[in-house]
């Protein structure tokens, strides 16, 4: 007869679940780890009522139809006009998406349900604006691509209204789902999408195709037509990173205390402030000196972090230290090669440095995220064999 085992779960851990006594649960084994969850997998998924995102979409689509009917517009272009599907989707989609996220977050936090309860109210404005910017950048990039693929394409007003309804409904659903599943991992993904998406969008849509002949900072200068998007991307990337650091360290300090963890926290906050300040003070003539100084502070803080990470990051692994020192050495070698030779252009040097630094920063945030989760949700359990009744 096969042996059976039982697991003793602490009451503090049980209280964090929605399980009830004698409830049947499903157990799965994945990568030598045991996962216990409700039998009905759908119970774990966010429950989003269809009316939450369909009704607002219908209302806004009707407003779109009435507006264009009043303007006596019979056919609507995809892009390239003030009265286009792109502009309608951008304005209505951003407003509706932000409102959907904001409403869902506030309701779930007030009720104390869902992951939003673990976030501070002070983080809400930054996260909300970042979500709005990501929607705007995504729609702008998608319709820019459609404009290149379907030049001069036009649709009748009713077909255009259907397109607007589908786009807004999809955005509302995504934003409601985001508010119901918000976590440090989700914010890290938002941060990544924000900075990479914003930069790629600026590269693709800027007025000068040979911007790379100048430097990376050219994307944020007044000479670039999309400098506003580039600089806003940097500003809110920095603010979003501050919100993420704030959330992570509130949780991590439940287990790890002392001045070392505070040093790590403030170094990361200073790094985020530098990122935001580079967008706030672009490389225009009036800010040139300040922009360069802030950029150098950013590099110095990054190097300091790499050097002291052995002492300020709790339970740091040997593998992460090896990666950190390898990236730090690579950044130093690139700097020496750039200064002493003509092998690397300024733009290539800046892109390489940014790629290495941002990759390391994401790895660091992932390590801190794991510590924060373990500090809050790690419990000691006992595995015991069940004694079989021989009678």
């Amino acid at each position: 007869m096969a042996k059976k085992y039982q697991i003793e779960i602490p009451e503090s851990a049980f209280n964090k679940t929605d399980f009830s006594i004698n409830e049947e649960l499903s157990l799965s084994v994945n990568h030598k780890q045991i996962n216990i969850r409700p039998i009905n997998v759908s119970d774990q998924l966010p429950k989003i009522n269809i009316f939450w995102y369909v009704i607002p979409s219908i209302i806004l689509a009707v407003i779109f139809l009435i507006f264009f009917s009043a303007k006596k517009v019979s056919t609507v272009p995809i892009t390239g006009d003030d009265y286009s599907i792109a502009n309608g989707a951008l304005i209505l989609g951003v407003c509706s998406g932000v409102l959907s996220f904001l409403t869902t977050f506030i309701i779930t936090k007030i009720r104390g349900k869902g992951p939003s309860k673990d976030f501070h109210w002070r983080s809400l404005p930054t996260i909300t604006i970042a979500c709005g910017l990501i929607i705007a950048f995504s729609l702008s990039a998608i319709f820019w691509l459609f404009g290149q693929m379907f030049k001069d394409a036009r649709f009748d007003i009713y077909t255009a209204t259907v397109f607007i309804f589908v786009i807004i409904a999809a955005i509302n659903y995504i934003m409601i789902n985001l508010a119901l599943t918000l976590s440090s991992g989700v914010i890290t993904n938002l941060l990544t999408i924000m900075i990479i998406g914003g930069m790629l969008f600026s590269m693709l849509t800027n007025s000068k195709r040979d911007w790379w002949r100048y430097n990376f900072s050219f994307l944020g200068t007044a000479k670039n037509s999309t400098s506003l998007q580039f600089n806003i991307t940097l500003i809110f990337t920095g603010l979003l990173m501050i919100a993420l650091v704030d959330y992570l360290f509130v949780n991590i300090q439940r287990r790890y205390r002392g001045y070392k963890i505070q040093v790590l926290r403030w170094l990361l906050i200073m790094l985020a402030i530098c990122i935001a300040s580079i967008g706030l003070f672009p490389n225009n003539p009036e800010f040139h000196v300040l922009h360069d100084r802030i950029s150098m502070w950013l590099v110095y803080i990054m190097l300091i972090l790499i050097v002291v990470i052995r002492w300020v990051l709790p339970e740091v692994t040997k593998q992460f230290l090896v990666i950190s020192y390898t990236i730090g050495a690579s950044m130093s070698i690139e700097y020496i090669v750039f200064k002493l030779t003509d092998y690397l252009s300024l733009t290539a040097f800046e892109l390489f440095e940014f790629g290495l630094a941002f990759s390391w920063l994401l790895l660091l945030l992932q390590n801190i995220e794991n510590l924060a989760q373990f500090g809050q949700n790690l419990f000691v359990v006992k595995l015991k064999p069940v004694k079989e009744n021989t009678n």
Side-chain angles (χ1 to χ4, degrees), residues 350-363:
E350 290 178 332
L351 286 174
F352 279 134
E353 293 287 293
F354 166 77
L356 289 171
F358 191 66
S359 299
W360 181 81
L361 182 60
L362 289 179
L363 288 175

Side-chain angles (χ1 to χ4, degrees), residues 65-74 83:
L65 178 62
I66 294 173
F67 176 81
F68 277 79
S69 298
K71 292 292 181 179
K72 297 181 179 180
V73 177
S74 57
Y83 302 118

Side-chain angles (χ1 to χ4, degrees), residues 89-150:
L90 185 63
I91 295 171
L92 297 177
V94 170
C95 294
S96 182
V98 167
L99 188 60
S100 297
F101 176 84
L102 197 59
T103 303
T104 307
F105 184 100
I106 291 173
I107 291 175
T108 53
K109 182 160 181 65
I110 290 175
R111 292 179 177 177
K113 297 181 179 179
S116 60
K117 68 179 184 295
D118 296 324
F119 284 84
H120 293 290
W121 286 108
R122 60 177 176 265
S123 301
L124 179 58
T126 299
I127 298 173
T128 304
I129 294 174
C131 289
L133 290 173
I134 289 174
I135 295 173
F137 289 154
S138 300
L139 289 176
S140 298
I142 290 171
F143 278 105
W144 176 84
L145 181 61
F146 284 170
Q148 300 298 312
M149 295 172 60
F150 309 104

Side-chain angles (χ1 to χ4, degrees), residues 155-374:
F155 297 92
D156 66 88
I157 189 171
Y158 300 104
T159 304
T161 301
V162 172
F163 285 156
I164 291 294
F165 166 76
V166 171
I167 292 169
I168 295 175
I171 292 173
N172 287 345
Y173 180 86
I174 292 171
M175 298 309 291
I176 292 171
N177 185 76
L178 180 66
L180 293 175
T181 57
L182 196 64
S183 65
S184 56
V186 171
I187 295 184
T188 303
N189 292 335
L190 288 177
L191 189 149
T192 305
I193 295 171
M194 183 92 176
I195 191 167
I196 294 179
M199 289 181 177
L200 287 176
F201 180 74
S202 295
M203 292 178 188
L204 289 172
T205 60
N206 76 89
S207 55
K208 291 194 176 184
R209 300 302 177 191
D210 60 344
W211 63 269
W212 53 271
R213 296 181 182 274
Y214 300 91
N215 52 51
F216 191 55
S217 297
F218 175 83
L219 294 174
T221 62
K223 296 179 181 179
N224 178 25
S225 60
T226 57
S227 60
L228 180 62
Q229 294 94 315
F230 182 82
N231 292 326
I232 288 178
T233 295
L234 291 176
I235 292 170
F236 280 96
T237 295
L239 294 177
L240 196 59
M241 183 175 166
I242 292 175
L244 175 60
V245 170
D246 182 46
Y247 169 77
L248 289 175
F249 278 83
V250 166
N251 291 325
I252 205 174
Q253 285 174 339
R254 296 174 182 176
R255 184 178 181 189
Y256 305 100
R257 299 180 182 275
Y259 74 93
K260 291 182 180 180
I261 203 71
Q262 291 298 326
V263 169
L264 178 59
R265 179 179 188 172
W266 284 106
L267 282 173
L268 287 171
I269 290 176
M270 290 167 61
L271 192 68
I273 291 173
C274 286
I275 294 173
S277 298
I278 289 174
L280 191 62
F281 303 104
N283 195 19
N284 293 323
E286 63 271 25
F287 298 128
H288 174 70
V289 175
L290 181 58
H291 179 89
D292 284 352
R293 294 283 177 83
I294 295 172
S295 300
M296 291 308 300
W297 294 339
L298 180 67
V299 174
Y300 295 151
I301 294 172
M302 181 67 70
L303 292 176
I304 291 172
L305 268 170
I306 291 175
V307 171
V308 304
I309 199 66
R310 174 190 293 271
W311 297 281
V312 298
L313 180 65
E315 300 185 30
V316 60
T317 63
K318 183 178 179 181
Q319 181 183 14
F320 182 66
L321 286 176
V322 171
I323 293 174
S324 299
Y325 295 147
T326 302
I327 289 178
S330 300
M331 293 175 66
S332 302
I333 292 171
E334 282 183 22
Y335 179 78
I336 294 171
V337 171
F338 171 72
K339 283 295 184 180
L340 300 182
T341 69
D342 296 327
Y343 182 73
L344 290 175
S345 66
L346 177 57
T347 304
F349 167 72
E350 290 178 332
L351 286 174
F352 279 134
E353 293 287 293
F354 166 77
L356 289 171
F358 191 66
S359 299
W360 181 81
L361 182 60
L362 289 179
L363 288 175
L364 174 60
L365 291 174
Q366 184 180 27
N367 275 267
I368 297 174
E369 179 186 347
N370 291 334
L371 289 175
Q373 290 178 348
F374 289 151

